[in-house]
Amino acid sequence: MPEVQVRARSAQESVFARMSRLAAQHGAVNLGQGFPAAPPPAFLLDAARGALGRTDQYTPPAGLGALRDALGADLGVNGADITVTSGATEALHLLTLALVGPGDELLMLEPVFDVYLPQTALAGATGVTVPMRLDPVTGWQFDLAVLAAAVTPRTRALLLNSPFNPTGTVFTPAELAGIVALARQHDLWIISDEVYDELYFGAPPTPLRALAPERTFTVGSAGKRLEATGWRVGWIAAPSGLSAGVQGLRQVTSFCAPAPLQAAVAAALPVARDSGFYAELRATYGARMAHLASGLRALGATVFEPSGTYFLTALHPTWTAEALVTGARVAVIPGEAFYAQHAVPAGLTRWAFCKSDVEIDLALSRLGAPA
């Protein structure tokens, strides 16, 4: 019998899927995979019901016109420069295919989200990770000089995630200005993964496209903004006039995202903005983050509260993700899931707080936190 390609043979179940499977198997509270406990907002569900039976056929590969226009208005860009994708994962895949190839290097920070390196390899390029430093007192630290030292003649692009999964870092305007200066110095593209752009707990993140519109491709996600991670509606905001190539690739991947869900997101985006939905979401998650952090500290963990995303990271000398899910019946993501080229901080785990208060309380109770 013929054999499948090596890339298929080497593909493994993602740690996120694995921990969710183990959570179901052991009856664990799932604080691992980042999907919200709450249903999507009523205004989004109502918009989806209204779209069913009306917007059900193929949309153009670039996306439904109404959604591109709504995203343009929301992001402050031209809707013609938007490409709607089947989730942010496809958006990132399209951009790696479009911007890097054999012989190229794509720079990214480590800890690194798990799809970045495999997608780079599928494009025939090499992913190069630059380590962030974890200080037990000051938390996650970014060093522009270390990033600059990693640039080589083969470097073609930078991939940055802000707010950053898993560290929760929101890069400051000064840090972003330094990154932009580096990109301009070496004439690099910037892929800016901003799927958590509305999930922050301090000053709003600065979009990189505001600082370097000529070279920044922004990735976004309705799933993260609107509590509907399974809907798979994402997008790319490209520099002016540079969408055609990405949209051409789109025709041979998923062709288009689900049409009625695109229509629903188009209707929901202005409602979410005007109703204060995002502010309410931040307040809710901020409270849950503080509650989870307090409980983990009471159990002896060193906790690093995030400035954005709905994840926090923690260090504990004896906890491992395997033992927690099978013993305490609490599922989290092990730190090694985010490392490929540098040493993992000992005892590192990532915890999702996009869950209900009941789930967080149950998890802390099972871990033995004092009432």
Side-chain angles (χ1 to χ4, degrees):
M1 292 291 292
E3 292 187 355
V4 296
Q5 290 289 324
V6 64
R7 57 179 170 268
R9 293 199 306 272
S10 62
Q12 300 178 0
E13 179 186 33
S14 81
V15 69
F16 308 99
R18 179 169 176 270
M19 295 311 296
S20 287
R21 176 174 56 79
L22 289 173
Q25 179 182 333
H26 293 280
V29 180
N30 192 348
L31 303 188
Q33 194 169 17
F35 58 86
F43 61 81
L44 178 62
L45 297 177
D46 289 343
R49 294 184 189 103
L52 292 171
R54 298 176 58 193
T55 311
D56 301 287
Q57 309 310 326
Y58 296 127
T59 72
L64 192 69
L67 178 52
R68 297 173 74 201
D69 289 344
L71 284 165
D74 195 271
L75 298 173
V77 301
N78 189 334
D81 295 321
I82 298 286
T83 302
V84 179
T85 60
S86 295
T89 301
E90 186 190 30
L92 291 161
H93 181 47
L94 290 170
L95 287 174
T96 56
L97 291 175
L99 300 180
V100 299
D104 294 334
E105 293 177 348
L106 176 59
L107 279 188
M108 58 196 76
L109 297 177
E110 194 169 60
V112 62
F113 185 55
D114 75 324
V115 304
Y116 293 172
L117 287 168
Q119 288 182 342
T120 306
L122 286 173
T126 300
V128 176
T129 68
V130 176
M132 292 185 72
R133 185 170 63 88
L134 181 55
D135 185 283
V137 177
T138 58
W140 294 98
Q141 303 294 314
F142 164 70
D143 191 331
L144 180 63
V146 176
L147 182 66
V151 176
T152 76
R154 296 175 58 194
T155 307
R156 176 97 172 144
L158 302 172
L159 196 170
L160 190 73
N161 181 205
S162 181
F164 192 150
N165 173 19
T167 69
T169 303
V170 172
F171 293 96
T172 68
E175 289 171 331
L176 295 177
I179 291 168
V180 166
L182 182 66
R184 286 182 171 144
Q185 176 186 351
H186 296 281
D187 197 22
L188 307 177
W189 294 115
I190 298 173
I191 302 172
S192 185
D193 181 354
E194 299 179 16
V195 298
Y196 299 100
D197 60 348
E198 292 294 342
L199 291 170
Y200 56 87
F201 306 110
T206 299
L208 264 166
R209 65 182 175 276
L211 303 180
E214 82 285 357
R215 66 186 62 246
T216 301
F217 292 81
T218 303
V219 173
S221 168
K224 299 297 192 296
R225 281 183 171 213
L226 297 172
E227 304 278 84
T229 58
W231 283 32
R232 313 312 297 146
V233 177
W235 55 82
I236 299 166
S240 180
L242 293 183
S243 287
V246 174
Q247 292 167 5
L249 287 170
R250 185 99 234 292
Q251 297 177 95
V252 294
T253 55
S254 66
F255 191 82
C256 69
L261 302 186
Q262 289 191 58
V265 172
L269 283 172
V271 178
R273 181 71 64 199
D274 296 341
S275 68
F277 170 76
Y278 298 133
E280 183 178 337
L281 193 65
R282 289 190 288 271
T284 298
Y285 282 160
R288 291 178 185 171
M289 180 259 287
H291 177 43
L292 177 60
S294 175
L296 294 178
R297 288 190 179 105
L299 291 163
T302 301
V303 177
F304 307 99
E305 294 189 10
S307 297
T309 77
Y310 42 51
F311 305 109
L312 62 78
T313 50
L315 298 175
H316 192 284
T318 63
W319 287 349
T320 67
E322 290 284 343
L324 290 178
V325 72
T326 59
R329 293 187 297 137
V330 176
V332 299
I333 302 299
E336 53 264 30
F338 304 100
Y339 283 82
Q341 299 175 358
H342 298 92
V344 185
L348 179 67
T349 48
R350 191 200 73 175
W351 303 67
F353 51 85
C354 52
K355 310 297 179 177
S356 68
D357 291 315
V358 170
E359 288 172 301
I360 292 172
D361 284 338
L362 179 58
L364 292 173
S365 174
R366 287 181 175 181
L367 290 167

